[in-house]
Amino acid sequence: MKILVTGGTGYIGSHTCIQLIQAGYTPVIVDNLCNSKISVLPRIKRIAGHEITFIQADVRNKEAMVDILQGHDIDAVIHFAGLKAVGESVEHPLEYFDDNIHGTLTLIDAMREAMIKRLIFSSSATVYGDPASVPITEDFPTSATNPYGRSKLIVEECLTDFQKANPDWSITLLRYFNPVGSHPSGLLGEDPQGIPNNLMPFVAQVAVGRREFVSIFGNDYPTQDGTGVRDYIHVMDLADGHIAALQHVGPKAGLHVYNLGTGNGYSVLDMIHAFEKACGKTIPHQFASRRSGDIAECWADPSKAKQDLKWSAKRNLEEMTADAWRWQSTNPQGYPED
Ligand code: NAD
Ligand code: WQD
């Protein structure tokens, strides 16, 4: 089966391509390389043992997408392509709405023309806003606290309406919690441009000497140690969640929504201490004020995915930090330019 993977040279997309190949699928990558490098491709090839089809294109280009979908005989689409930095989305909301909303709508339109009716969409736990309690189940109320989150929420709503009007389509919304870690080979990993927004790439860059210390945003939250608590999930487990969705949702028509998280919450201090163990160094850190828009705690109830998709996260905190360190220590500056 051929799977179009939009955003396939990015962090989660590249790891998912490896797991797709392992599971016997043929991924075809489309990416405009706005937040990833072409040098990811030979690494995927090295792990997979063969070439992978790559097309440099923008999902907002409908004609190009129709050509690709038809020309490569695609059976289903996994749509990762989009912009994901919360702070940047506050400064440049239009760019986020254009890439994330217009991009997805254009892709759906192209799929409709090419008569491909199976989509898996990368959504986010951000659609739960500030949840009233934890763990979070899929039926919790949704809301947006920033333009990035709004773009995911609007796309979810558009896809829900679209599926209602087109009941023979199979659309799966996967709400990721906090992806971390890397492929165990150390060949693939997270390579943020500029100063990392997310905790774990920042910690990894401190460990490798690229940054001086980690600022911990708030130590006065109502959590066990006062720092924010999140559901960190190994990116390989997240990748496996997509394979499970392909296998167990299959072409079954409907709108399917799943949390992809571990069900465990770890604090910022837990994560720093686990990383210290993995890298054998002390990670200098300082307490700073809370980051605007942050919530105290957020973790998933992943039981729906376990029941329906026969999927649950397998890799523990030790593997998340060990794999992240292997990637960062062997690629201190991330992927090469080309
Ligand atoms: P990433 O930036 O590493 O990957 C996204 C890829 O999409 C990049 O390679 C980029 O070049 C490409 N892209 C962006 N706009 C495009 C366009 N218009 N046309 C073609 N390619 C385009 O991000 P990621 O962490 O791999 O995230 C993948 C998806 O998962 C995103 O939709 C993101 O919003 C979602 N998500 C990510 C996280 C996270 O913390 N990483 C959490 C929840 C959801
Ligand atoms: C985790 C914890 C911070 C950096 C974001 C998006 C979300 C999703 C995942 C895409 C929090 C603390 C962080 C630092 C810190 N992305 N922190 N110092 O905020 O849970 O989620 O990424 O969909 O939409 O909002 O992840 O990694 O930024 O933060 O203390 O330098 O680490 O306050 O408690 P977050 P994060």
Side-chain angles (χ1 to χ4, degrees):
M1 244 179 94
K2 279 193 164 178
I3 313 294
L4 186 76
V5 183
T6 76
T9 45
Y11 174 45
I12 307 171
S14 57
H15 290 80
T16 302
C17 284
I18 297 295
Q19 298 309 80
L20 282 169
I21 295 166
Q22 298 271 315
Y25 295 95
T26 305
V28 172
I29 296 179
V30 165
D31 202 297
N32 67 0
L33 298 176
C34 71
N35 197 38
S36 55
K37 300 204 181 103
I38 192 91
S39 59
V40 173
L41 292 172
R43 307 246 181 143
I44 295 178
K45 181 184 166 193
R46 225 171 112 187
I47 299 168
H50 58 78
E51 288 289 348
I52 181 165
T53 307
F54 169 74
I55 302 130
Q56 185 169 351
D58 194 300
V59 294
R60 290 164 293 188
N61 181 342
K62 185 183 161 195
E63 277 168 27
M65 294 311 296
V66 172
D67 281 354
I68 293 164
L69 289 161
Q70 289 176 335
H72 290 271
D73 236 351
I74 297 297
D75 297 291
V77 178
I78 307 183
H79 180 39
F80 293 106
L83 302 177
K84 64 166 180 177
V86 172
E88 191 182 63
S89 80
V90 175
E91 280 170 36
H92 303 289
L94 268 190
E95 281 78 352
Y96 272 68
F97 298 148
D98 186 51
D99 203 346
N100 295 0
I101 303 173
H102 171 207
T104 307
L105 299 184
T106 309
L107 174 67
I108 292 290
D109 201 16
M111 288 174 68
R112 183 171 56 169
E113 198 161 315
M115 293 200 300
I116 294 155
K117 299 176 179 179
R118 277 177 77 180
L119 174 76
I120 296 178
F121 172 66
S122 295
S123 190
S124 166
T126 192
V127 300
Y128 295 115
D130 191 352
S133 61
V134 276
I136 301 167
T137 50
E138 288 81 353
D139 54 4
F140 268 40
T142 53
S143 65
T145 53
N146 56 67
Y148 166 73
R150 196 171 315 284
S151 74
K152 289 291 174 190
L153 195 52
I154 289 173
V155 169
E156 281 205 0
E157 289 167 348
C158 292
L159 290 175
T160 304
D161 286 346
F162 177 82
Q163 200 284 328
K164 255 187 221 148
N166 297 274
D168 55 338
W169 277 57
S170 170
I171 299 185
T172 304
L173 312 177
L174 297 180
R175 294 174 176 163
Y176 313 153
F177 281 67
N178 290 58
V180 296
S182 313
H183 190 269
S185 64
L187 287 168
L188 300 179
E190 190 170 9
D191 181 19
Q193 308 303 302
I195 303 169
N197 301 296
N198 293 116
L199 176 67
M200 290 316 278
F202 201 104
V203 169
Q205 291 194 5
V206 171
V208 85
R210 277 175 70 177
R211 307 197 181 272
E212 223 179 311
F213 61 89
V214 182
S215 293
I216 298 181
F217 301 143
N219 63 345
D220 57 351
Y221 284 108
T223 59
Q224 80 263 16
D225 61 20
T227 68
V229 170
R230 297 289 183 275
D231 187 335
Y232 297 93
I233 175 167
H234 198 299
V235 66
M236 296 298 288
D237 278 325
L238 202 59
D240 288 340
H242 295 75
I243 314 304
L246 278 173
Q247 290 172 341
H248 294 280
V249 174
K252 194 164 57 190
L255 194 276
H256 314 277
V257 186
Y258 295 103
N259 284 340
L260 294 186
T262 65
N264 301 313
Y266 290 108
S267 74
V268 177
L269 282 170
D270 289 337
M271 296 308 287
I272 291 178
H273 293 143
F275 207 94
E276 285 178 331
K277 264 196 202 154
C279 70
K281 302 179 187 194
T282 300
I283 309 281
H285 53 270
Q286 292 181 6
F287 292 116
S289 46
R290 292 181 180 194
R291 183 171 64 179
S292 143
D294 271 357
I295 56 178
E297 50 186 7
C298 172
W299 70 87
D301 178 339
S303 44
K304 188 174 177 222
K306 187 169 186 187
Q307 171 148 359
D308 295 358
L309 306 182
K310 318 292 171 222
W311 170 91
S312 56
K314 303 258 172 321
R315 296 153 179 96
N316 60 22
L317 183 55
E318 215 179 327
E319 286 163 285
M320 297 181 210
T321 49
D323 290 337
W325 175 239
R326 189 173 307 106
W327 155 254
Q328 189 68 62
S329 56
T330 51
N331 302 270
Q333 302 299 326
Y335 290 106
E337 277 310 319
D338 47 31

